[in-house]
């Protein structure tokens, strides 16, 4: 699968291979979430806005129930968890609902 996805939309991760490919280059924001998680639902519009507004940012959504192995490998202990990757390396991690401005500051620092 190519990393050329529909512009402006988060990519819902469908395999560990896809996750590895999409986090291997560029600036990537990974949103670890679950359908039953209230704070995750509160954060979702912010994550979607970032995907639509920030050029050069790939946004991935990882359902922790469907991909427990990915979440465990990433050390995710609480959700929502946001993980930033810069050229394949984890660069930043935030847990809990975040303000859009705080996320934009992290993105600016990493770009």
């Amino acid at each position: 699968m190519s990393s050329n996805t529909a512009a402006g939309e988060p990519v819902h991760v469908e395999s560990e291979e896809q996750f590895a490919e999409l986090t291997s280059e560029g600036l990537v924001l990974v949103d670890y979430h679950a359908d039953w998680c209230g704070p995750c639902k509160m954060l979702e519009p912010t994550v979607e806005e970032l995907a639509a507004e920030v050029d050069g940012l790939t946004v991935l959504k990882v359902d922790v129930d469907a991909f427990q192995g990915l979440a465990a490998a990433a050390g995710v202990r609480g959700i929502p968890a946001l993980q930033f990757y810069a050229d394949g390396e984890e660069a930043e991690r935030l847990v809990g609902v975040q303000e859009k401005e705080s996320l934009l500051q992290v993105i600016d620092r990493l770009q």
Side-chain angles (χ1 to χ4, degrees):
M1 171 171 269
S2 170
S3 59
N4 295 331
T5 57
E9 294 184 14
V11 177
H12 292 267
V13 172
E14 297 177 8
S15 71
E16 291 188 20
E17 294 77 17
Q18 179 193 32
F19 178 87
E21 179 184 335
L22 293 177
T23 57
S24 67
E25 61 185 18
L27 184 58
V28 182
L29 168 59
V30 182
D31 174 16
Y32 294 91
H33 69 97
D35 289 340
W36 48 263
C37 170
C40 299
K41 291 186 187 314
M42 291 171 51
L43 183 61
E44 189 170 10
T46 302
V47 170
E48 289 177 352
E49 286 175 22
L50 292 174
E53 296 171 8
V54 180
D55 288 334
L57 177 68
T58 300
V59 177
L60 306 182
K61 306 258 311 165
V62 175
D63 184 325
V64 297
D65 290 331
F67 294 99
Q68 293 176 5
L70 272 178
V76 172
R77 296 196 184 327
I79 54 172
L82 299 173
Q83 201 173 27
F84 288 89
Y85 285 85
D87 294 322
E89 300 293 322
E90 182 181 346
E92 184 87 26
R93 179 186 302 231
L94 303 165
V95 178
V97 176
Q98 305 294 319
E99 295 293 325
K100 182 178 178 182
E101 192 56 43
S102 300
L103 297 173
L104 287 170
Q105 289 174 0
V106 172
I107 291 165
D108 285 345
R109 194 169 68 245
L110 296 175
Q111 282 183 319

